[in-house]
Amino acid sequence: MSATPPTMELAPIIERQRASRSWLTMYAVCCLITFLDGFDFQILSFAATYIKKDLGLTGTQLGTLGTIGLFGTMVGALIMGYLADRVGRRPTIVISVIGFGLFMLGFAFADTFEHLAVLRFVSGIFLGGVLPLTWALAAEYAPKRFRVTAVAIIMVGYTLGGAAGGPISNWLVPEHGWRSVFVVGGACSLLTVFVVLALLPESVRFLALKARPGSDERIARTLSRFQPGMSFAPGTHFIDTDLKQADPGKRFTPIQLFRGHLAGVTSLLWLAYFLSSALIYFMVFWTPMINEVMGFSVSAAATIAASASVSGAVAQLFISRFVDRKGAGAILWMPLAAVVCMLLLGTGSLAPVAYIAFVISAKMFINGGHGGITSIAGTFYPTAIRANGAGWASSVAKVGAMVGPWLGGVILDAGLGAGGAFTIFAAVPAVMVLVLFMLGRLQRRMPADAEGALPGQPPTTGPATEKPSVHS
């Protein structure tokens, strides 16, 4: 009589793992992907002045390009999130990188506003898919004690990619024209596909969830590579008890994001995402132009914006370690500090050096808070709906991202000036503080075995902490 193949639980293996070369390589590849995603998406802000002059665009047309791109990312986050929960994180990431690489190259050859608009929308679909997918992959390989930090590291790649647009455009555009930065971004993205195919694994938790032929063998190979010295008996079957309520045959519906304690989590998370994105994209879109109005050159304005983004990346990493231990409520200190900086900028009476210091500080706290919020997006949802949960949150964020630049334009057109814009937008992080406080309290009341629960949290019961089902 043949022996029954052994069964092994995945969660304890993931929780006990330590950093290895393959594990660190996976996060490095994710950071490279998000770096290019951030660069390719935000380079338009740095090239805008040159594109406007070369093609004779109006300010309205330039703003429309920004809005169209954001709408594309909103659509892309939904499409790619759904696809990733059906076919896998890795193949969907590959599709996304190929897509935004090709259409970024196409952007370099556009010669009319209509061409730019179509290419911006389509490239946005693929750009919008990458972030929630890399969040999901990072969260599913990270121990709970490190999960928020792991996702924050991925977001640092995006932030630094956006920051790189300033110095790279300053270097390339004067000699080679604005089209050169899109050629560089597209070509580097396509070359990165080979790195992704060679080094990026599929999520072992996703493989266990789908339980397709050959999944157990793929899981064993991946875990052995991530943890040298670990071996498994032939035929070992891997399970994840966190997925016991999941039915791989059921299709995702948005109502799953509002079951049990997720009703409160999703509502507060979406509101925080909307507010944070409105604020950060107001700063991304208008601050370089406001810097020029304040008397700085185009090159200096781009350098200030890039420096602010780098400081924001540092803040993201700093806050993530507190969020891992203290929960979502720890993020609120970032928008609280941003309120102070925005109000001081709103006075309009700062000397140039002080203005630069407070612009960089404001971006640091705004980016740090935004990074903290995005790092928790996928951590609250079960594996079966994690990519969809992150994708829907990301799409809600894009609505805020469209509102922020538009509202900034309305304020400036109303004659309130940069000071008025900064003062009015100070209300956004103020509301975020309240929302994050409520989310932190809700997280502390979650059951210990729920996704996103704080480490060491005692078990709790009651309808407010009912564990959500992922059935449709």
Side-chain angles (χ1 to χ4, degrees):
M1 183 175 177
S2 59
T4 303
T7 298
M8 187 162 290
E9 168 65 42
L10 271 178
I13 298 175
I14 293 173
E15 289 302 312
R16 290 195 304 265
Q17 68 182 325
R18 293 292 183 268
S20 66
R21 181 179 298 178
S22 295
W23 192 78
L24 293 173
T25 297
M26 181 197 70
Y27 282 100
V29 173
C30 285
C31 282
L32 174 60
I33 295 168
T34 56
F35 178 93
L36 291 168
D37 185 58
F39 177 85
D40 287 358
F41 185 75
Q42 295 191 32
I43 191 61
L44 179 63
S45 298
F46 296 103
T49 301
Y50 305 100
I51 295 174
K52 181 180 180 181
K53 182 184 297 185
D54 187 34
L55 300 184
L57 302 183
T58 66
T60 299
Q61 286 176 318
L62 205 59
T64 301
L65 286 178
T67 300
I68 287 173
L70 288 166
F71 184 70
T73 61
M74 180 177 69
V75 174
L78 296 178
I79 293 174
M80 297 304 174
Y82 177 83
L83 190 62
D85 278 341
R86 301 297 294 179
V87 304
R89 285 62 166 128
R90 183 175 180 269
T92 313
I93 288 173
V94 170
I95 291 170
S96 297
V97 176
I98 292 173
F100 70 67
L102 286 173
F103 286 97
M104 284 297 293
L105 278 176
F107 206 86
F109 298 97
D111 54 9
T112 67
F113 169 73
E114 290 73 21
H115 290 163
L116 292 174
V118 171
L119 290 166
R120 186 65 174 170
F121 173 74
V122 180
S123 64
I125 291 176
F126 296 102
L127 288 165
V130 165
L131 279 181
L133 301 186
T134 51
W135 298 339
L137 189 63
E140 286 163 11
Y141 272 106
K144 287 185 177 180
R145 66 183 183 278
F146 186 71
R147 189 169 291 173
V148 173
T149 301
V151 180
I153 290 171
I154 305 303
M155 278 303 298
V156 167
Y158 181 85
T159 303
L160 293 180
I168 290 177
S169 62
N170 287 343
W171 172 48
L172 287 175
V173 174
E175 283 289 325
H176 306 286
W178 65 266
R179 300 177 191 274
S180 61
V181 291
F182 293 96
V183 171
V184 169
C188 289
S189 300
L190 292 176
L191 289 173
T192 300
V193 173
F194 297 102
V195 179
V196 174
L197 289 171
L199 299 175
L200 196 69
E202 181 57 273
S203 163
V204 290
R205 303 191 76 170
F206 175 84
L207 292 172
L209 169 68
K210 294 302 181 182
R212 292 165 178 159
S215 290
D216 286 327
E217 289 77 8
R218 288 182 67 185
I219 293 171
R221 287 197 302 270
T222 302
L223 292 176
S224 296
R225 190 168 75 248
F226 272 44
Q227 300 299 313
M230 180 178 288
S231 61
F232 305 95
T236 297
H237 176 57
F238 294 91
I239 62 170
D240 193 336
T241 53
D242 289 344
L243 310 180
K244 59 182 179 292
Q245 295 178 330
D247 184 347
K250 294 290 185 180
R251 292 185 179 275
F252 168 80
T253 59
I255 196 66
Q256 294 169 244
L257 303 177
F258 293 89
R259 288 190 173 144
H261 66 267
L262 289 183
V265 167
T266 298
S267 299
L268 291 170
L269 188 63
W270 284 11
L271 180 55
Y273 243 117
F274 176 89
L275 293 168
S276 182
S277 295
L279 179 59
I280 201 168
Y281 278 93
F282 159 72
M283 296 291 286
V284 166
F285 191 83
W286 285 111
T287 300
M289 296 181 217
I290 290 174
N291 291 343
E292 291 178 43
V293 172
M294 295 293 292
F296 298 98
S297 67
V298 174
S299 175
T303 302
I304 293 169
S307 300
S309 294
V310 171
S311 67
V314 174
Q316 288 174 24
L317 287 178
F318 173 79
I319 196 64
S320 66
R321 296 308 298 139
F322 290 94
V323 178
D324 268 323
R325 295 194 297 268
K326 303 296 184 181
I331 304 170
L332 65 82
W333 297 106
M334 288 289 176
L336 185 61
V339 171
V340 176
C341 293
M342 297 287 284
L343 289 174
L344 286 169
L345 288 169
T347 64
S349 59
L350 298 175
V353 174
Y355 171 82
I356 292 173
F358 280 108
V359 163
I360 292 176
S361 297
K363 282 291 293 290
M364 178 178 71
F365 295 124
I366 291 168
N367 282 19
H370 187 73
I373 293 167
T374 53
S375 68
I376 63 175
T379 61
F380 286 106
Y381 300 105
T383 300
I385 60 172
R386 179 172 281 122
N388 273 299
W392 274 80
S394 181
S395 291
V396 169
K398 297 306 185 295
V399 178
M402 288 186 279
V403 169
W406 169 80
L407 182 57
V410 170
I411 294 169
L412 293 172
D413 286 344
L416 298 178
F422 284 128
T423 300
I424 292 172
F425 267 90
V428 177
V431 177
M432 284 173 58
V433 170
L434 177 61
V435 173
L436 289 167
F437 175 76
M438 295 169 64
L439 183 59
R441 285 180 60 86
L442 178 60
Q443 186 181 22
R444 287 194 294 272
R445 295 199 302 267
M446 286 167 52
D449 60 343
E451 290 288 340
L454 295 177
Q457 193 159 297
T460 56
T461 58
T465 60
E466 175 190 352
K467 192 170 183 178
S469 166
V470 293
H471 287 287
S472 60

